[in-house]
Amino acid sequence: MRELKIIQPDDWHCHLRDGAYLSRTVPDSAAIFKRVIVMPNLTTPITHPSAAKKYRERILNAVPEGNDFEPLMTLYLTDETTPHVIAEAKASGIIHGAKLYPQGVTTHSEAGVTKLEKIYPTLEAMSEHHIPLLIHGEVNDPAVDIFDREKYFIDKILTQLVKNFPSLKIVFEHITTKDAVLFVEESSKNVAATITPHHLYYQRNAMFMGGIRPHYYCLPVLKRQEHQLALIAAATSGNPKFFIGTDSAPHAVTRKESSCGCAGIYNSPTALALYAEIFATQNKLHKLEGFTSLYGADFYGLAHNQKTITLREISKNVPETLSFGDETIIPLKAGQSVKWDII
Ligand code: DOR
Ligand code: ZN
């Protein structure tokens, strides 16, 4: 039975939602992660530091007694986000990134940016104030095949963006393709990427195993095996440009199991076990700590965590459902078991 002691992990991309849902998401994240980068795509997006400050308080109120969980807040960029707002975000001391959702690409992205050029002065301000740009890297063009939207984004938008803003720190979030891996590898040290457990663990067939499986649907959508293999190689390589970001994104079961099911996978309780399994299968357990606990903090310019955790290779059952406000949610690996647990 293998055991592995590592510095406590952080999660550099997570959707905690709001209101009653916080009593599910916050304790689940806080049971494993010291810090999470909190996505700002609430029903009313977090577009101003004052809203981020209040949201942070609501999150902190949901942290279990005695837990030192730290939410790291982000701003949601719109066409109207000014350089002044970025200066205020910096001054607030609680904002660690600003998120670019090209309008219409995903859940609650209706207020997203319509044309990147419109926020060039804002991006300039982010560069000056050292606030990283966190990118949902897909085009929103319905004419582009959904499996190609990340590659199009790289070719049509990201390549130019990186040239225009060489000093801007960019996290290419939840990458899903070998094209994205290559792009990040070949870019400067200011460009990094997060990788989710589900994009490492599954390929697109998972959505269609014997029928349509909405709980495997997320955006960017799962891709074919060659991409999965490129992601596994990148994550386990020890290259500090690639680090953890679960993209845990809960939707109530009724919203998933629907004629138009929402995108998003709830994986906070199982993410670390799945990452450990992937690294173990690749004989790369010695690289896990860098990926989960060091490289993200280094990229964001934050200290490493003080505490350690111990992972043990032991089977653990995952519940069929979890409570979620007045509703229920189906976590990743529901009704199955995972192979690693924190002891
Ligand atoms: O699958 C996803 N769910 N992808 C996103 O980009 C957003 C997220 C959500 O908020 O549900
Ligand atoms: Zn996300």
Side-chain angles (χ1 to χ4, degrees), residues 153-165:
F153 185 84
I154 295 168
D155 296 344
K156 304 272 185 266
I157 294 172
L158 192 53
T159 303
Q160 194 57 46
L161 177 70
V162 166
K163 277 198 190 116
N164 290 347
F165 296 93

Side-chain angles (χ1 to χ4, degrees), residues 65 77 100 118 129 170 203-204 261 275 278 287 295 306 311-312 314 336:
E65 197 66 34
L77 293 171
L100 170 67
K118 288 193 180 169
H129 289 291
I170 293 177
Q203 47 182 274
R204 64 190 194 177
Y275 284 123
I278 295 278
K287 304 274 189 190
Y295 306 152
Q306 299 284 314
L311 284 161
R312 180 180 287 167
I314 186 173
Q336 303 172 52

Side-chain angles (χ1 to χ4, degrees), residues 1 32 153 161 184 206:
M1 204 187 287
I32 297 170
F153 185 84
L161 177 70
V184 172

Side-chain angles (χ1 to χ4, degrees), residues 213-327:
R213 304 257 185 174
H215 297 289
Y216 295 93
Y217 174 57
C218 62
L219 287 171
V221 72
L222 294 171
K223 301 295 192 298
R224 60 168 74 239
Q225 191 189 32
E226 63 181 302
H227 298 295
Q228 180 198 15
L229 295 176
L231 296 175
I232 292 172
T236 61
S237 67
N239 182 341
K241 283 167 158 274
F242 300 101
F243 49 83
I244 185 171
T246 65
D247 198 14
S248 187
H251 294 277
V253 65
T254 48
R255 307 275 309 222
K256 293 287 291 174
E257 298 177 7
S258 144
S259 60
C260 186
C262 293
I265 293 176
Y266 187 57
N267 64 22
S268 289
T270 44
L272 188 60
L274 296 188
Y275 284 123
E277 186 182 333
I278 295 278
F279 278 68
T281 309
Q282 300 298 311
N283 289 320
K284 293 285 181 66
L285 271 180
H286 57 292
K287 304 274 189 190
L288 185 68
E289 183 180 53
F291 180 82
T292 59
S293 317
L294 306 177
Y295 306 152
D298 291 342
F299 190 82
Y300 277 88
L302 298 170
H304 296 163
N305 293 327
Q306 299 284 314
K307 287 187 198 150
T308 56
I309 60 159
T310 300
L311 284 161
R312 180 180 287 167
E313 193 171 25
I314 186 173
S315 180
K316 185 187 182 189
N317 293 331
V318 181
E320 295 274 0
T321 61
L322 296 169
S323 64
F324 188 56
D326 295 338
E327 303 156 273

Side-chain angles (χ1 to χ4, degrees), residues 90-249:
K90 186 67 188 182
S92 78
I94 60 161
I95 309 276
H96 294 267
K99 178 80 189 248
L100 170 67
Y101 290 103
Q103 191 178 58
V105 283
T106 189
T107 310
H108 297 149
S109 63
E110 298 78 10
V113 173
T114 57
K115 207 165 178 1
L116 210 47
E117 286 73 13
K118 288 193 180 169
I119 59 158
Y120 266 21
T122 304
L123 297 177
E124 197 55 63
M126 287 172 60
S127 190
E128 276 165 29
H129 289 291
H130 307 292
I131 292 192
L133 175 66
L134 319 182
I135 300 184
H136 184 114
E138 291 190 286
V139 294
N140 55 11
D141 181 351
V144 177
D145 189 292
I146 192 164
F147 293 99
D148 298 332
R149 288 183 190 172
E150 185 171 282
K151 176 160 172 41
Y152 268 66
F153 185 84
I154 295 168
D155 296 344
K156 304 272 185 266
I157 294 172
L158 192 53
T159 303
Q160 194 57 46
L161 177 70
V162 166
K163 277 198 190 116
N164 290 347
F165 296 93
S167 311
L168 179 61
K169 282 201 156 187
I170 293 177
V171 185
F172 192 174
E173 299 285 0
H174 45 53
I175 59 168
T176 64
T177 58
K178 62 180 185 186
D179 312 278
V181 168
L182 197 64
F183 179 84
V184 172
E185 282 172 350
E186 290 181 345
S187 296
S188 82
K189 65 174 183 8
N190 286 332
V191 179
T194 53
I195 305 182
T196 77
H198 41 281
H199 289 102
L200 291 172
Y201 205 81
Y202 299 100
Q203 47 182 274
R204 64 190 194 177
N205 285 351
M207 288 183 293
F208 307 106
M209 281 180 302
I212 186 123
R213 304 257 185 174
H215 297 289
Y216 295 93
Y217 174 57
C218 62
L219 287 171
V221 72
L222 294 171
K223 301 295 192 298
R224 60 168 74 239
Q225 191 189 32
E226 63 181 302
H227 298 295
Q228 180 198 15
L229 295 176
L231 296 175
I232 292 172
T236 61
S237 67
N239 182 341
K241 283 167 158 274
F242 300 101
F243 49 83
I244 185 171
T246 65
D247 198 14
S248 187

